[in-house]
Amino acid sequence: MPWSRYGGTGAGRRERGGRRGRARRRRGAGVAGRTLRVLAASTRRPAFWLLAGVFAVCGASTNGLLWNHFTPAAHDHGIPATSASALLAVVGVCNVAGTVAAGRLTDRVDARRVLAACFGLRALTLVALPLL
C-alpha cells in the first residue's frame, strides 16, 4: 500500500506477512521457480511447439533475409546504399506501427485470430515474393 499517498511516511505501520512473509522471501525462487514450472508444463503442449516453430521461421526470415541482406541486394540492383538504408528505416517504422496496431487489435479480437491472420499474410507475401 503506498503510504505516501496518505501523507504519512509509513514509519509507524505494521509489517504484513509475519513469519510466512519472511519465509517466502527466504526461499527466493518464488518467481523463477514458478516460471520454470510453467515453461516445463508448456513444452508438453503441441501448441507451444507450433508457436515456437512459427516464431523461429518468422525470425529467420526477417533477420536472415531482410535486415542483413536488403541493403547489399538493393545496391546490387542499382539502388544507392543510402536510399536502400532509408527504405529499410521506413520498414522499421512500419514495423513499430504494425506492432502497436496489432496490440490494439488484440484488445478487441481474439489474439489467436490476429496471430493467425498476421502469419497467414506473411506466408502469402513470402510465397509471392519470387513472382515479383
Side-chain angles (χ1 to χ4, degrees):
M1 177 180 265
W3 294 98
S4 60
R5 182 186 315 167
Y6 301 106
T9 60
R13 71 175 190 261
R14 288 186 327 175
E15 287 292 325
R16 294 191 304 188
R19 255 190 289 171
R20 291 176 65 196
R22 283 192 294 269
R24 277 192 206 119
R25 284 190 294 270
R26 268 186 269 148
R27 269 190 295 211
V31 174
R34 184 170 191 271
T35 301
L36 292 175
R37 283 191 304 274
V38 168
L39 182 60
S42 298
T43 57
R44 294 185 201 108
R45 303 178 118 203
F48 173 83
W49 292 108
L50 178 66
L51 278 175
V54 169
F55 284 139
V57 170
C58 177
S61 65
T62 300
N63 294 327
L65 297 176
L66 186 64
W67 301 125
N68 294 334
H69 302 292
F70 179 76
T71 301
H75 187 266
D76 290 345
H77 289 283
I79 300 173
T82 52
S83 298
S85 297
L87 288 173
L88 195 56
V90 170
V91 169
V93 170
C94 290
N95 187 7
V96 171
T99 301
V100 171
R104 291 189 58 116
L105 187 60
T106 57
D107 290 339
R108 294 169 176 75
V109 182
D110 184 23
R112 292 174 293 188
R113 292 181 188 268
V114 174
L115 188 64
C118 287
F119 282 134
L121 184 63
R122 184 183 186 96
L124 288 175
T125 57
L126 284 175
V127 168
L129 192 61
L131 303 175
L132 297 176

